Amino acid sequence: MDRDPTAHADLHSHLVPGVDDGARTIEDTLDAVRRLTRDGVRKILTTPHLDGSLTLDADRLCARLDEVSVAFDRAAQAVGEAFPDVEFRRGHEVMLDVPDVDFSDPRIRLGGTRFILIEWPRLHIPPGTAQVLQRIVGEGYVPIVAHPGRYAGIDLNVAASWRAAGAYFQVNYGSIEGRYGAEARTFAFRLLRRGWVDYFSSDFHARPERAIYKREVWRRLTDLGGGDALDYLCMTNPGRVFRGEAPLPVPPLAAERGFWRRLKELLDTGSG
């Protein structure tokens, strides 16, 4: 049940303990949820890694999904007891290491909806990505490309082809703050400038030494006049995924006089 349509939501994290490179223990999970709630998040769709090729082997897929289900159920019980106001669901971040992934098991998808969080292997863009996305859409699913600015060789033409194929984009807070380097940060702002980012999320791996960057991004984009966009990116559109609804168009960052100068000043003086 959608408890609060105005709540901040996060669609990409690794909080299921012991199943990937994210949380190791229930304590890690609870600490991560505590940190996300301090940043205002009340809806979490956590997304353990899943190799798409596993979906072509029924036995291996069943074993992997059962493993995650057991760990998630334990985590969800603990989260529910410690944070009763948090809606905690599960999906997967699916690596498209093969082009013909089978998304029919609802546990693979975000909260059992039509939405799927996908990434390309090893942060490289294989040939024919637009065609792969078109096939996924043709099968009735809705692909969300995780952290598009982090892929080697990405440019606006590639991004445009993905959007034309029916994909939406999820950008990490860390990309805005420069965690993944200047190129990923610059590309994230180029997408925002065009209104091509549909969701912000943490991609948080439940490590105490890692930052979430949500507060920093909120302050940074507010200073740049992006408050309206933030409402869509952090609340409205992520919340719509919980209900299985397509995102609403996000207002582009304003191109007022001096915008890029102000942006450069903020980036140069910020933590990124």
Side-chain angles (χ1 to χ4, degrees), residues 123-149:
L123 294 178
H124 284 74
I125 302 172
T129 51
Q131 289 75 20
V132 170
L133 293 170
Q134 288 172 349
R135 179 192 62 78
I136 292 171
V137 171
E139 293 176 350
Y141 305 116
V142 184
I144 299 173
V145 179
H147 42 64

Side-chain angles (χ1 to χ4, degrees), residues 212-257:
I212 294 174
Y213 299 111
K214 183 176 183 293
R215 293 183 187 182
E216 295 86 345
V217 168
W218 191 274
R219 182 181 66 249
R220 201 179 287 283
L221 292 192
T222 298
D223 290 343
L224 289 169
D228 289 343
L230 283 167
D231 288 345
Y232 284 91
L233 293 165
C234 302
M235 292 184 285
T236 302
N237 285 346
R240 289 175 68 86
V241 171
F242 278 73
R243 302 189 297 274
E245 299 172 354
L248 299 178
V250 176
L253 288 185
E256 71 235 25
R257 182 178 179 85

Side-chain angles (χ1 to χ4, degrees), residues 9-249:
D10 194 278
L11 304 179
H12 184 180
S13 63
H14 298 270
L15 310 187
V16 179
V19 300
D20 64 4
D21 59 342
R24 298 183 179 95
T25 66
I26 290 288
E27 289 70 27
D28 289 343
T29 302
L30 293 176
D31 180 65
V33 173
R34 183 175 299 107
R35 293 176 64 183
L36 285 165
T37 59
R38 287 174 183 167
D39 285 350
V41 175
R42 294 296 182 272
K43 297 169 176 280
I44 299 171
L45 260 167
T46 193
T47 49
H49 289 292
L50 178 71
D51 292 348
S53 55
L54 284 181
T55 68
L56 307 183
D57 185 320
D59 290 339
R60 293 177 64 208
L61 176 64
C62 184
R64 171 60 174 166
L65 294 181
D66 286 349
E67 172 195 25
V68 174
S69 293
V70 169
F72 173 77
D73 289 346
R74 290 178 54 241
Q77 180 177 351
V79 170
E81 292 171 356
F83 304 95
D85 61 335
V86 170
E87 192 170 354
F88 190 67
R89 298 192 194 177
R90 163 253 185 117
H92 280 277
E93 181 183 15
V94 184
M95 182 176 68
L96 300 187
D97 56 338
V98 295
D100 52 346
V101 175
D102 179 0
F103 295 101
S104 59
D105 193 308
R107 292 176 292 178
I108 297 173
R109 309 192 299 265
L110 295 178
T113 68
R114 298 178 300 125
F115 288 81
I116 52 175
L117 183 69
I118 63 101
E119 65 173 343
W120 308 111
R122 296 175 296 281
L123 294 178
H124 284 74
I125 302 172
T129 51
Q131 289 75 20
V132 170
L133 293 170
Q134 288 172 349
R135 179 192 62 78
I136 292 171
V137 171
E139 293 176 350
Y141 305 116
V142 184
I144 299 173
V145 179
H147 42 64
R150 295 181 61 196
Y151 298 103
I154 188 69
D155 60 30
L156 290 175
N157 289 329
V158 172
S161 73
W162 292 351
R163 291 189 75 77
Y168 297 107
F169 291 166
Q170 174 265 308
V171 165
N172 292 357
Y173 292 113
S175 292
I176 303 299
E177 285 298 294
R179 178 188 166 194
Y180 310 106
E183 290 185 7
R185 180 173 61 186
T186 298
F187 194 76
F189 275 101
R190 286 176 177 165
L191 295 177
L192 287 166
R193 173 69 185 84
R194 289 160 175 79
W196 287 3
V197 181
D198 304 287
Y199 314 94
F200 276 159
S201 290
S202 66
D203 195 4
F204 190 44
H205 280 61
R207 301 295 174 83
E209 70 276 10
R210 296 276 183 89
I212 294 174
Y213 299 111
K214 183 176 183 293
R215 293 183 187 182
E216 295 86 345
V217 168
W218 191 274
R219 182 181 66 249
R220 201 179 287 283
L221 292 192
T222 298
D223 290 343
L224 289 169
D228 289 343
L230 283 167
D231 288 345
Y232 284 91
L233 293 165
C234 302
M235 292 184 285
T236 302
N237 285 346
R240 289 175 68 86
V241 171
F242 278 73
R243 302 189 297 274
E245 299 172 354
L248 299 178

